[in-house]
Amino acid sequence: MKAFTYQRAASAGEAAAAAAKTPGARFIAGGTNLLDLMKLEIETPSHLIDVNGLGFDKIEATPDGGLRVGALVRNTDLAADARVRRDYGVLSRALVSGASGQLRNKATTAGNLLQRTRCYYFYDTNMPCNKRQPGSGCGALQGFSRHHAVVGASEACIATHPSDMAVAMRLLDAEVETVRADGKTRVIPIADFHRLPGNTPHIEHALEPGELITAVKLPKPAGGVQVYRKVRDRSSYAFALVSVAAVVQPDGSGRVALGGVAHKPWRVEAAEARLPAGAGAVAELLLAGSKTTEHNAFKLPLVQRTLAAVLNDLKRV
């Protein structure tokens, strides 16, 4: 691990300003992703800004009937909150599907959204990776790509976003609240927060330099029956091969989002109009324009079968 300087921020404005004026600075809270990457010298921040003391660790009701989740709320606490379990069941289920109990005790809401989109080749510094070194190439394109993206990828990167929580947040139309280095705040719809790789896969989100997440806002509960199903190689501590988040209303309408298939949580609103027609019709639009390799082509039928299983389960509720 390379040497770095450290400070504890006293306010969100101070943290954002310090990050903006210090080249190579990074915020740290739980550190469950960042510290691992620092040990491998994949991430080499020159300065760490500890934001744990800023008080963003509360879950509060909003005037419109939703919830405002502080950026520092730990994944375990968010999943266990009675209001989340009652009104946002898909989020609670997605959270407990992620990582391990020990990691969920440390990982934060903001940190979960900001974890690096990554694959084996990102970790292997002997292989080219446009995320680690822009312009060096993508080792996964001609390598082993079983876990990689089938939609929304590019010739620069075919990694998949690892977060389970983010898939549920995308389904629920959450909003990300931030503060900039100049003290101004803004709200970013979750649909616009994560980026597809294009030619710049190292730019993974919509935050500006120094911009700090302060909270994630959940809208008024969507109601209906909510499900999160994750298909993975082992039952714990594994990224999704495919995951399906869904909420279905009594009249058959609803929403669907996928994990494990793209560089960002994947939702195609136009596909949701086909829910009454069944999983095949929905998957056709969700996966339109897909591009597979010899190793990950199985993900296309796996999406359809997982979605069909989810919809069949919902019919029995």
Side-chain angles (χ1 to χ4, degrees):
M1 183 182 292
K2 292 189 176 181
F4 57 89
T5 53
Y6 170 89
Q7 77 176 92
R8 290 182 179 176
S11 69
E14 177 187 310
K21 72 180 182 182
T22 309
R26 293 290 301 273
F27 301 120
I28 188 167
T32 56
N33 185 210
L34 178 59
L35 290 177
D36 281 348
L37 297 179
M38 288 175 65
K39 291 173 185 176
L40 296 171
E41 295 190 3
I42 293 171
E43 292 276 5
T44 55
S46 62
H47 185 62
L48 291 184
I49 303 166
D50 190 332
V51 297
N52 281 296
L54 300 185
F56 302 141
D57 56 355
K58 298 176 179 60
I59 305 171
E60 303 169 308
T62 60
D64 62 359
L67 290 178
R68 186 174 184 273
V69 181
L72 296 173
V73 172
R74 308 294 161 166
N75 287 178
T76 295
D77 296 331
L78 182 58
D81 186 89
R83 295 162 294 182
V84 174
R85 294 179 64 187
R86 181 188 66 226
D87 297 327
Y88 306 94
V90 65
L91 177 58
S92 183
R93 293 182 180 97
L95 282 161
V96 298
S97 295
S100 65
Q102 294 92 332
L103 288 173
R104 292 193 296 270
N105 288 341
K106 292 291 293 181
T108 63
T109 299
N112 192 307
L113 290 178
L114 290 172
Q115 62 181 301
R116 297 297 306 270
T117 302
R118 56 202 189 271
C119 75
Y120 317 119
Y121 298 92
F122 174 78
Y123 283 110
D124 187 349
T125 55
N126 293 311
M127 298 296 295
C129 175
N130 289 314
K131 286 183 174 295
R132 278 188 284 101
Q133 187 177 354
S136 63
C138 175
L141 287 174
Q142 302 300 322
F144 182 66
S145 51
R146 182 170 181 268
H147 283 81
H148 290 69
V150 294
V151 285
S154 73
E155 290 300 309
C157 182
I158 59 172
T160 55
H161 196 277
S163 173
D164 295 287
M165 184 195 81
V167 178
M169 293 287 194
R170 178 66 182 93
L171 183 82
L172 296 169
D173 286 326
E175 295 177 325
V176 181
E177 299 180 359
T178 72
V179 61
R180 295 173 173 173
D182 60 4
K184 294 181 179 179
T185 62
R186 68 166 171 155
V187 176
I188 307 170
I190 193 72
D192 301 328
F193 185 79
H194 295 106
R195 293 168 49 112
L196 292 179
N199 294 320
T200 55
H202 60 290
I203 304 174
E204 298 176 349
H205 50 69
L207 295 180
E208 298 174 356
E211 192 168 9
L212 175 69
I213 296 175
T214 56
V216 176
K217 182 182 176 184
L218 299 174
K220 183 178 178 180
V225 181
Q226 302 179 19
V227 171
Y228 186 79
R229 180 166 296 185
K230 181 177 182 178
V231 181
R232 47 188 163 174
D233 285 329
R234 56 180 183 267
S235 61
S236 179
Y237 200 56
F239 293 147
L241 294 169
V242 163
S243 65
V244 173
V247 54
V248 176
Q249 305 296 341
D251 63 1
S253 63
R255 307 175 189 174
V256 175
L258 302 178
V261 299
H263 198 264
K264 60 185 286 186
W266 194 251
R267 184 179 171 200
V268 179
E269 282 84 344
E272 295 165 359
R274 294 188 174 189
L275 272 171
V282 177
E284 181 182 14
L285 276 186
L286 278 172
L287 301 173
S290 60
K291 184 177 180 180
T292 64
T293 70
E294 63 175 314
H295 302 124
N296 67 10
F298 73 94
K299 286 193 176 188
L300 302 187
L302 183 59
V303 166
Q304 182 172 336
R305 291 168 186 166
T306 305
L307 181 57
V310 166
L311 296 180
N312 286 335
D313 285 350
L314 292 174
K315 289 177 183 178
R316 292 195 288 266
V317 174

